[in-house]
Amino acid sequence: QLYLEKLRQNSVSEGQTKAETHRLTSEIERITMEQLQYAQSGVEDGVWTLFAEDGEMRMYKREEEIDGLAVDPLKAVHTVKGVTAREMCQHFYNPDVRFEWETTLEKMTVLERLSDAACVVLQVHKKVWPATQRDALFWSHLRKVPKDMCRDAHDAWIVCNNSTEHPNFPSNNGKFIRVGLTICLMCQTYLDSSEENGSPPTRDNLTCKITYCAVVNPGGWAPTSVLRAVYKREYPKFLKKFTQYVFEKCRDKPVCF
Ligand code: 16C
């Protein structure tokens, strides 16, 4: 409780989020904090299996099934030079730019703007043959990580997306199967030594460490082989495309901490 209060004060004093509360405030606080701790825990515990590697990017999975459906948790780490944690997370959060990097989308509607850093979104994803088309309804939240939780980083930011319900958009209404998801992107900025000499940091002095965690429940039947093939193809594609997109978008702009 004390921690949550500290977190709230920290966010508000730094002007990242409005102070007002809304119907999802406490759920968002709780799940975002859980996801922050989950993202910060390592992958060297013997339960994660490396399944994709490309440059600095490493993707790990755990094969898990619920009622015969593959829901394999995914954890990925990546390092990108020249961008900050805030730039990375803002682009992941901002629904206005989602179609610029998200390749699985057919349609997206922002159902509610809860605050300047929290919203509820309905997404219809592209159909994967032979499975029924999926949709996803979730809240999304962007926040700065409190300084004492940044460890050795200059700063850290997190976006957490988590399934929710909306009375006007019930699930499994005939056309789509609704997936369940808990996803977070946690980014940490590191400055190289030149910054410590007193000169203002440029993009050449920045490194962004990225951790992406996802658990997606397909919500209804789909062949396990198809599900695992989609995971294996789409997650690496997403992380490479998204990070490259943010790098390109920011490279000629002033650094934003
Ligand atoms: O985190 C990502 N994107 C965020 C913003 O969109 C947000 C969204 C998450 C939605 C994840 C579930 C999407 C179900 C997609 C259905 C398959 C589409 C494939 C289209 C291929 C042309 O957090 C980045 C998400 C990266 C992609 C993840 C793919 C996860 C596959 C889940 C499979 C579910 C059932 C598929 C039925 C065959």
Side-chain angles (χ1 to χ4, degrees):
Q1 210 55 36
L2 203 73
Y3 175 71
L4 290 181
E5 187 47 37
K6 197 168 151 195
L7 188 72
R8 201 168 287 123
Q9 283 167 1
N10 178 291
S11 302
V12 172
S13 67
E14 296 198 16
Q16 273 99 39
T17 54
K18 285 182 192 163
E20 79 251 32
T21 54
H22 47 75
R23 68 185 171 86
L24 289 172
T25 300
S26 56
E27 179 182 314
I28 289 178
E29 292 280 354
R30 179 176 55 79
I31 293 177
T32 304
M33 283 309 101
E34 281 171 13
Q35 288 298 303
L36 178 59
Q37 285 174 348
Y38 178 56
Q40 288 182 336
S41 63
V43 280
E44 291 83 27
D45 55 8
V47 298
W48 294 94
T49 308
L50 181 71
F51 76 94
E53 201 171 354
D54 189 339
E56 295 288 315
M57 187 180 82
R58 307 266 180 284
M59 288 206 159
Y60 303 83
K61 65 168 179 176
R62 292 199 319 255
E63 291 205 346
E64 280 182 16
E65 291 184 13
I66 298 178
D67 300 330
L69 272 183
V71 294
D72 307 351
L74 170 121
K75 193 158 187 170
V77 289
H78 196 9
T79 302
V80 177
K81 287 189 167 288
V83 289
T84 64
R86 183 179 191 173
E87 290 166 338
M88 220 26 114
C89 285
Q90 275 184 335
H91 285 86
F92 188 71
Y93 171 76
N94 185 358
D96 297 342
V97 301
R98 191 150 304 154
F99 275 96
E100 294 177 22
W101 58 267
E102 173 62 277
T103 59
T104 73
L105 272 189
E106 190 172 286
K107 193 177 170 206
M108 185 203 63
T109 313
V110 179
L111 301 180
E112 281 180 86
R113 291 198 186 262
L114 300 163
S115 74
D116 56 5
C119 60
V120 177
V121 178
L122 176 61
Q123 296 191 161
V124 176
H125 291 267
K126 290 177 185 165
K127 182 177 161 57
V128 180
W129 187 89
T132 304
Q133 195 168 8
R134 262 56 180 179
D135 68 3
L137 199 163
F138 58 93
W139 54 253
S140 183
H141 176 51
L142 164 73
R143 77 153 64 227
K144 186 172 187 179
V145 174
K147 189 75 192 150
D148 56 355
M149 297 217 32
C150 290
R151 300 184 177 170
D152 53 344
H154 173 270
D155 60 71
W157 287 72
I158 186 168
V159 176
C160 185
N161 295 342
N162 189 73
S163 285
T164 190
E165 289 175 3
H166 193 290
N168 299 345
F169 301 91
S171 60
N172 304 341
N173 53 11
K175 190 158 183 212
F176 308 115
I177 291 179
R178 178 137 323 151
V179 299
L181 63 91
T182 302
I183 288 178
C184 80
L185 181 81
M186 195 264 298
C187 298
Q188 298 162 291
T189 315
Y190 287 83
L191 303 182
D192 71 20
S193 52
S194 60
E195 197 272 342
E196 287 158 15
N197 300 338
S199 43
T202 69
R203 295 207 174 270
D204 295 338
N205 308 131
L206 300 173
T207 301
C208 185
K209 287 196 181 174
I210 297 155
T211 305
Y212 175 80
C213 305
V215 183
V216 177
N217 185 319
W221 188 82
T224 301
S225 58
V226 172
L227 284 175
R228 294 213 159 110
V230 173
Y231 295 151
K232 200 171 171 182
R233 187 188 65 214
E234 294 302 325
Y235 284 121
K237 185 175 164 190
F238 144 67
L239 199 55
K240 274 198 285 180
K241 182 163 175 126
F242 172 70
T243 52
Q244 187 62 26
Y245 160 76
V246 179
F247 175 82
E248 301 286 349
K249 192 95 188 272
C250 295
R251 69 192 307 173
D252 298 322
K253 298 203 172 84
V255 180
C256 178
F257 286 102

